Amino acid sequence: MWPLEAASALLLVVIVVLLFTGVVARYAFSLPVVWVDEVVSLSFLWVAMLGTVLAMHRNEHLRLTLVVERLPERWRGLVQAFALVAVAATLLALLPQALEYAYDEMAIRTPELDMPNAWRVSAIAVGVAAMLLLVVVHALRTVTLRQLLAAVVLVAAVGVLCWLSRDTLRGLGIASLAIFLVGVVALGLAAGVPIGFCFGLATLSYLGFATT
């Protein structure tokens, strides 16, 4: 992972130096450097997404482990596999949208440097794809194939059930919001899914199954 670490460190240095230079140029010499904001915006999104990948590699995304640690040993691997599959499902749902977003932004160009805005927003797709790859590799290394397949079947079954019940869920109104943003989040937290992915999966599920 050292290339990502080096790139992140370099981008952070670029952000600090450019922002400092821009402030000094604007307020000390009355010479605003307008392209600084564009480069900083690009660098910030890339360092943020690379940071999420590094956090995934180091298992540093904030999550609740109290419930999982109290489970019997025979259940712990299955719950861990479920958490990994839930994270992978979230990333799989995001990846096509991130790629489409980057493609659409090819037509948008920045006002000063005249570069495609896709250079900036493609960081989202790269980060999501890299995290997905890490989750798959980690799953293959830490849980058995049987546990992994069981978790995939379980998550897929829940998804199919929600899909078949989407008309009912849409008719529930605000209650469906509670089902996903309370029920799904609580289940994910108990299973050890990182908190950010709990809310991400709940939000995507609510949008996909309970709204038009």
Side-chain angles (χ1 to χ4, degrees):
M1 299 296 288
W2 69 264
L4 294 186
E5 294 173 347
S8 299
L10 178 61
L11 287 171
L12 188 59
V13 171
V14 168
I15 291 171
V16 172
V17 170
L18 285 182
L19 286 178
F20 180 76
T21 302
V23 169
V24 171
R26 180 184 296 272
Y27 294 105
F29 302 103
S30 298
L31 296 172
V33 185
V34 292
W35 57 265
V36 163
D37 291 339
E38 293 181 7
V39 177
V40 168
S41 175
L42 183 150
S43 302
F44 185 82
L45 186 54
W46 273 95
V47 78
M49 294 308 302
L50 293 180
T52 63
V53 177
L54 293 173
M56 180 71 73
H57 173 67
R58 298 171 181 176
N59 196 26
E60 291 179 347
H61 282 280
L62 189 62
R63 63 192 181 99
L64 181 68
T65 60
L66 178 64
V67 177
V68 177
E69 290 174 351
R70 293 177 179 270
L71 290 175
E73 187 68 29
R74 64 180 182 275
W75 290 103
R76 198 173 299 168
L78 180 59
V79 173
Q80 182 181 357
F82 170 79
L84 291 169
V85 172
V87 172
T90 306
L91 295 170
L92 280 172
L94 287 173
L95 185 56
Q97 315 306 323
L99 292 171
E100 182 180 355
Y101 182 36
Y103 178 78
D104 290 342
E105 289 295 300
M106 284 293 296
I108 308 298
R109 307 190 74 85
T110 59
E112 291 300 324
L113 297 179
D114 193 35
M115 62 180 180
N117 199 46
W119 290 9
R120 182 175 68 90
V121 301
S122 60
I124 302 173
V126 171
V128 169
M131 283 189 287
L132 181 59
L133 178 61
L134 285 176
V135 169
V136 172
V137 172
H138 184 67
L140 294 175
R141 289 178 176 176
T142 58
V143 297
T144 66
L145 185 58
R146 178 179 295 181
Q147 292 169 337
L148 187 59
L149 290 176
V152 170
V153 170
L154 177 59
V155 172
V158 172
V160 170
L161 180 61
C162 290
W163 176 257
L164 295 176
S165 306
R166 61 190 184 281
D167 292 334
T168 302
L169 291 170
R170 290 170 185 170
L172 293 177
I174 196 69
S176 63
L177 188 63
I179 291 173
F180 288 104
L181 293 186
V182 176
V184 173
V185 169
L187 179 62
L189 287 175
V193 178
I195 294 174
F197 289 95
C198 289
F199 283 99
L201 182 59
T203 303
L204 291 172
S205 300
Y206 172 72
L207 293 175
F209 301 127
T211 74
T212 57

